[in-house]
Amino acid sequence: MAPDDFKAFVDAAHQLGMMVFLDCVYNHFGRAGNSLPLYARSFFDAARDTPWGAGIDFAERPVRDFFIENAIYWLTEFNIDGLRLDAVHMIEDRTEAHFLTELAAHIHAECACRKRHLVMEDSSNRTIFLSGDLPVEERHDGAWNDDFHHAMHAFVTGAKTGHFADFADRPFEKMAATLAQGYVRTLEPELVFEGQAMPAPASLSPTTFVHFLQNHDQIGNRSYGDRLLQPEREALYDLLTSILFLSPQIPMLFMGEDYGETQPFLFFCDHEGDVAREARENRIHEGLAFATLREGERPDDLIDPNSPEAFLQSKIDWGRRNAPEGRRRLEQIKTLIGLRRRFVIPYLADIGRGSGRLLAGEGGRLAIDWRLSGASLQLRANLGDSEALLPAVGSEVFYRHSAATEREEILPPLTALFAIKPT
């Protein structure tokens, strides 16, 4: 794609009322094709290694300027609406002004004509870059919440190892907690700034967190690229989708998820030599991390990520979108978006901190009240396999998933309702 083609794409998206975010990888350079070490060794910290080579030395002024100017280039030259910053937990910076806060300050100052959004992926669950303890011009706007995904995935699939080990015990309760407060895992302070305490997740607005049932990492790093939607999970998957869209957090769908795509999405690349071999070996490592392989298992049928088949098998099936099941799911998503726009979004501006109150979150019983701006949003759901008694809502129910009941506080299995009550 030529630069002008990309600009045309962004313009077309804006005309349709859509924003465009760019996924920026500022935490590493690839192991293949990276010539910087040949002529700019000071760009890297030789004492710190990463899975992708030597760590980047963000204490160097030219290094910081390189990435800051790159971000501003994309935002201004292409009129992009925001950046998704990849794996910022791999950005090590012990300087007085952390690179991430300086990046935000420069973007907010130099792109002041309209709001530009900064959303981070941070496996360390740090809140310090998101909280009101920072000046507004140094703050980032949001973060992907892997805790929600991991707890939900452990609950649905029973996964107990790798990334899901922290959620193997009481995964449903932890999923409920993420909906009410955000992150559920805590950090050691030294992973943030020495001597500086980290704000609690509950101190953040729910709209800080981006929630998802699956994404490119969570599917692509699985050994067989299998998606969460499987025939035996369809009813539960539909229910979780309604919770995803009507809760106050920012919902995100992965490619094809809007119509229920089931085609695998594998890890694919085009490397040669040692880097290609490392990519193949890494499929074993990631298979363990994503609970799709057992310790010591090295299956012969794993597809080589460097092969054309890995790419070709990962292409979505557009025919499924127009099939009856695809059309049904697409209509479901359209309905949920419409309900979110009408009943949820008007109350999301300037939400106070710690707005979620968990009333029930065990044994498949889920009851949460969120205190929004001018209204209370209430969720009641039964993800178990028998009837559940839940706190009554006492306000206007604007959405029911599955069968209605005579008494709204008693929900049959795989049922949910959302209510809104102006305050």
Side-chain angles (χ1 to χ4, degrees), residues 56-340:
I56 300 171
D57 191 353
F58 282 92
E60 294 285 340
R61 183 72 258 168
V63 174
R64 299 166 84 92
D65 290 343
F66 175 87
F67 290 109
I68 290 169
E69 291 168 12
N70 178 266
I72 292 172
Y73 166 76
W74 288 113
L75 293 167
T76 56
E77 181 68 20
F78 294 89
N79 200 25
I80 286 172
D81 301 275
L83 306 177
R84 180 264 187 186
L85 302 173
D86 178 76
V88 299
H89 54 276
M90 298 298 296
I91 295 176
E92 284 197 15
D93 182 12
R94 297 286 182 174
T95 60
E96 184 176 350
H98 195 283
F99 166 73
L100 291 174
T101 60
E102 185 178 346
L103 174 69
H106 276 275
I107 287 173
H108 294 320
E110 299 189 39
C111 304
C113 58
R114 65 182 176 87
K115 173 67 176 175
R116 309 300 172 114
H117 303 270
L118 294 174
V119 178
M120 60 174 57
E121 178 200 26
D122 186 357
S123 293
S124 296
N125 285 4
R126 292 172 293 186
T127 60
I128 197 162
F129 301 114
L130 306 161
S131 79
D133 295 337
L134 279 179
V136 65
E137 64 272 11
E138 295 180 0
R139 242 177 270 162
H140 291 244
D141 301 286
W144 286 21
N145 188 359
D146 281 344
D147 281 9
F148 169 76
H149 171 273
H150 292 352
M152 176 278 304
H153 191 93
F155 166 66
V156 173
T157 69
K160 298 180 183 297
T161 60
H163 293 308
F164 310 106
D166 288 343
F167 303 90
D169 180 37
R170 299 178 296 140
F172 182 83
E173 287 85 340
K174 291 172 182 174
M175 182 185 74
T178 64
L179 285 164
Q181 73 179 45
Y183 297 137
V184 294
R185 291 178 294 178
T186 56
L187 282 182
E188 296 299 323
E190 59 265 29
L191 292 178
V192 190
F193 298 116
E194 286 190 27
Q196 186 169 350
M198 190 182 76
S203 70
L204 300 175
S205 164
T207 56
T208 303
F209 298 100
V210 178
H211 280 191
F212 44 88
L213 303 183
Q214 46 197 355
N215 65 31
H216 68 286
D217 280 329
Q218 309 305 332
I219 304 173
N221 281 318
R222 296 176 64 78
S223 298
Y224 303 99
D226 50 305
R227 297 179 182 240
L228 185 68
L229 177 57
Q230 299 294 329
E232 68 275 14
R233 301 179 190 141
E234 286 188 3
L236 179 56
Y237 180 88
D238 281 354
L239 175 56
L240 288 167
T241 299
S242 68
I243 292 173
L244 176 74
F245 269 89
L246 299 180
S247 298
Q249 293 82 11
I250 307 302
M252 185 178 76
L253 296 178
F254 179 62
M255 175 181 72
E257 197 173 356
D258 52 327
Y259 58 84
E261 180 63 80
T262 57
Q263 189 78 356
F265 182 76
L266 296 159
F267 184 99
F268 55 85
C269 53
D270 187 18
H271 296 318
E272 298 177 348
D274 289 343
V275 179
R277 177 184 55 77
E278 290 173 4
R280 287 192 295 271
E281 289 296 314
N282 195 48
R283 292 302 88 212
I284 302 295
H285 170 76
E286 294 294 350
L288 295 171
F290 284 83
T292 51
L293 293 179
R294 292 184 296 274
E295 193 69 44
E297 186 178 7
R298 300 179 65 88
D300 296 329
D301 57 349
L302 287 185
I303 295 177
D304 183 347
N306 300 282
S307 68
E309 288 76 18
F311 167 70
L312 293 173
Q313 290 189 29
S314 300
K315 299 180 74 171
I316 60 178
D317 178 11
W318 287 107
R320 182 177 175 85
R321 186 179 189 275
N322 295 317
E325 179 62 10
R327 289 199 301 268
R328 181 190 73 79
R329 292 188 180 277
L330 193 59
E331 285 304 313
Q332 176 197 23
I333 296 296
K334 289 179 179 178
T335 297
L336 291 170
I337 290 174
L339 291 169
R340 180 179 179 86

Side-chain angles (χ1 to χ4, degrees), residues 390-421:
L390 292 161
V393 293
S395 53
E396 178 190 356
V397 175
F398 66 87
Y399 175 78
R400 287 182 173 84
H401 183 88
S402 296
T405 59
E406 292 183 7
R407 297 177 59 194
E408 289 178 347
E409 64 270 28
I410 298 179
L411 296 184
L414 299 182
T415 305
L417 59 86
F418 276 88
I420 195 78
K421 181 179 182 181

